[in-house]
Amino acid sequence: MPSTELRGLTGLRIVAAAWVVLFHFHFTPLEAVAEVAAVLGPLITAGALGVDLFFVLSGFVITYTYLDSLGPALRVRATVRFVWARACRIWPVYALVFHLFGIWLMARLWYGSDSEVAFQAVQPDLGPTEYLQQLFMVQLWDNPFFDGASWVGATWSISAEWLAYLLFPVGVLVLFRLRNLPATVLAMAAVALMAPMVWAYLSTGTPYHPWSWAARILCGFSGGAVMYLAVRRKRRTEGLRRGASTAAVVLPVLIAAGLLLGELLGPGRGGAVIALFPLLVGALAVADRGPAMVLSMPWAVYGGRVSYSLYLVHIPMFEIYWLALQKFSSLGPGTMLAHVTGVVVLLSTFAVAALAFHAVEEPARRSLRAMARPGDAAPARASRSPRHRAVGGTATGWPGVGNQSATRLTSEAATARSRIVAARRNAAAGRSGETRAGGGPSGSAEVSAVPRRRPAPEAGGPPLAAALINAQRRQPPRPGDYERSLYVQGYLNARG
């Protein structure tokens, strides 16, 4: 099956994760850290925006992956399969980090000299009811603020993301019916969906207000989802890729400039650049040079794959380090040892994240997915494979571009694939008949009861390809013939 990964967006994940990690690390009470933060200013102190970039990325990629399989109608089996796949992806390593850090918090509660167990403005509740909420990732849903809602502070966004996943099978019904709107309208709608967060930054300089977490996940996830619809509508021509590559260069510059210049209007006002996040994600999804090439390099893609584990492990590691800074006088703010230790801790978060990814996140995901019945996984593979063969390696566009819907294209390609399988079986049956009638591999062809199949002269290819082409020629011409012809060409190239 051809890869469906958008490598540039996978690479962008490590950028977003590193931005959040540096934002949290800048609270470390070290002289050098304060100096660096003073020089870079909002490029570091506005790193919480990395979470919003994650939300936009998630909405784009989830819609890209599941729009065609979930969109036409609400089906129980498809919905359960989707929810299970997302739980297998985010829960195992989350559960590990949450439990290990929970033990740390309990130890601080029992053996500490005060009631402070975590470096949070609002201390988390360590009771049994709260434990169950943390375990099922629902701890944020009844809290107007995320402060103190999670034992591992940063996992408030995991709870918000989980809510978005559970709502997506319903929301995708709307997205599916908007997919044929003009690309310009959809792109403008994606930016407009970020308006509540833009207004919060411009008016108050901060997104923190009652239920702001709900606004952040709904705006970001929806903005990314609608931006995918806009990108999907565009035919991937050389001009589009060149324009997207240029935008992928310009937009990060505008985001950085907006963060810096926004401070002139007031603290935090630069956060309004959040409106550009859907455009950046859409541009990187299409671009084939510049930043997109860098983010598609193996090191960046690998970083993107471990970014979820990095997001989970960095806060527990920082909290242990911060407590050490408090308890040991040898780690004073101005000491060399404290600075060297800080660098080691910061770099170690990436090593621990890689370990968690390889030892827990990926093996657990595969094991849990394998628990599903084979019949549950097969339709998803069958629906994606023909679709991407039809457009992969060409400049035709995203699935469903133009008047031909992705659903019809997927169905027709799957039908074509079944014809290939049938032709292969017929050919095998023919060869089997020849062998039986001839008394063995060296038997005389004169006593064969089944004539040998020959390729159609006009096909110019192997027997299975000829059978497929002839089957297509017997069908009346329809709007999907162009997409089907691409699938036939791809099949011939693979056989040749």
Side-chain angles (χ1 to χ4, degrees):
M1 187 179 73
S3 173
T4 61
E5 182 180 26
L6 301 174
R7 292 175 63 86
L9 297 189
T10 301
L12 183 60
R13 290 177 59 86
I14 189 58
V15 176
W19 200 10
V20 175
V21 170
L22 292 176
F23 165 70
H24 287 142
F25 191 74
H26 101 275
F27 294 110
T28 303
L30 297 179
E31 294 178 356
V33 172
E35 292 174 1
V36 171
V39 172
L40 296 179
L43 298 181
I44 296 294
T45 58
L49 287 169
V51 175
D52 300 281
L53 183 54
F54 265 121
F55 289 158
V56 175
L57 269 168
S58 184
F60 189 101
V61 174
I62 293 296
T63 307
Y64 163 75
T65 306
Y66 291 101
L67 176 68
D68 296 326
S69 60
L70 292 179
L74 187 63
R75 297 184 299 272
V76 173
R77 185 179 181 185
T79 299
V80 171
R81 187 190 306 127
F82 165 76
V83 172
W84 177 249
R86 301 320 301 161
C88 294
R89 173 71 175 84
I90 68 174
W91 188 80
V93 70
Y94 164 87
L96 174 67
V97 174
F98 150 66
H99 280 99
L100 290 178
F101 194 64
I103 294 174
W104 168 262
L105 296 179
M106 292 293 184
R108 289 195 63 181
L109 178 64
W110 291 334
Y111 301 109
S113 57
D114 53 38
S115 60
E116 183 178 282
V117 298
F119 288 90
Q120 298 187 43
V122 179
Q123 293 300 297
D125 180 4
L126 302 181
T129 301
E130 189 64 26
Y131 166 80
L132 292 176
Q133 290 184 339
Q134 305 281 332
L135 182 65
F136 291 103
M137 301 182 294
V138 301
Q139 68 270 20
L140 189 64
W141 297 2
D142 60 350
N143 283 292
F145 294 96
F146 61 72
D147 298 301
S150 300
W151 290 8
V152 183
T155 57
W156 70 266
S157 62
I158 308 300
S159 181
E161 186 92 3
W162 179 234
L163 177 61
Y165 292 158
L166 295 180
L167 294 176
F168 182 74
V170 176
V172 75
L173 302 179
V174 178
L175 293 171
F176 192 82
R177 285 154 180 78
L178 298 177
R179 70 192 188 284
N180 290 326
L181 290 176
T184 302
V185 173
L186 291 168
M188 293 174 61
V191 175
L193 284 168
M194 309 301 290
M197 300 311 304
V198 172
W199 174 249
Y201 277 108
L202 291 177
S203 60
T204 65
T206 175
Y208 303 110
H209 53 78
W211 303 104
S212 62
W213 66 264
R216 292 174 72 177
I217 183 61
L218 292 176
C219 292
F221 195 93
S222 300
V226 174
M227 180 52 65
Y228 167 68
L229 299 183
V231 170
R232 171 189 172 103
R233 290 287 295 163
K234 302 296 291 185
R235 193 169 295 276
R236 296 186 70 183
T237 63
E238 176 62 24
L240 178 65
R241 290 195 296 268
R242 185 166 52 249
S245 299
T246 301
V249 174
V250 173
L251 286 169
V253 175
L254 292 178
I255 290 172
L259 289 172
L260 294 171
L261 296 177
E263 293 298 304
L264 300 178
L265 299 176
R269 265 57 177 186
V273 299
I274 194 174
L276 301 179
F277 286 178
L279 297 176
L280 176 63
V281 171
L284 286 172
V286 178
D288 60 355
R289 64 203 77 177
M293 289 185 63
V294 176
L295 294 174
S296 297
M297 290 181 176
W299 65 267
V301 173
Y302 177 77
R305 290 171 183 165
V306 305
S307 62
Y308 178 62
S309 290
L310 175 63
Y311 185 79
L312 287 172
V313 305
H314 78 279
I315 282 293
M317 295 181 66
F318 288 175
E319 291 225 3
I320 295 173
Y321 173 58
W322 292 337
L323 183 62
L325 292 178
Q326 283 186 348
K327 299 297 183 181
F328 301 103
S329 59
S330 58
L331 295 176
T335 63
M336 179 61 67
L337 180 59
H339 285 79
V340 171
T341 306
V343 173
V344 171
V345 169
L346 180 61
L347 296 179
S348 295
T349 59
F350 294 88
V352 173
L355 177 62
F357 174 78
H358 290 289
V360 180
E361 180 181 343
E362 192 62 11
R365 182 187 67 84
R366 292 176 179 175
S367 298
L368 291 173
R369 290 294 298 270
M371 291 172 58
R373 291 179 298 175
D376 290 340
R381 290 194 297 270
S383 66
R384 287 198 297 268
S385 181
R387 180 187 71 183
H388 287 282
R389 287 182 185 176
V391 300
T394 70
T396 58
W398 291 77
V401 170
N403 296 325
Q404 181 71 11
S405 71
T407 303
R408 181 186 299 174
L409 175 57
T410 299
S411 175
E412 292 171 350
T415 303
R417 187 179 184 182
S418 67
R419 291 184 181 126
I420 292 176
V421 174
R424 183 183 294 115
R425 290 174 178 171
N426 291 337
R431 288 193 296 270
S432 176
E434 292 171 9
T435 301
R436 288 193 299 271
S442 60
S444 172
E446 295 178 354
V447 295
S448 175
V450 181
R452 182 179 298 275
R453 298 178 180 268
R454 300 180 182 275
E458 68 276 13
L464 299 183
L468 174 61
I469 293 173
N470 290 334
Q472 293 293 342
R473 286 175 176 172
R474 289 194 294 270
Q475 299 293 327
R478 288 183 290 178
D481 283 340
Y482 175 68
E483 286 82 0
R484 286 198 303 276
S485 69
L486 294 173
Y487 177 58
V488 175
Q489 293 172 12
Y491 176 78
L492 289 174
N493 292 336
R495 295 283 297 182

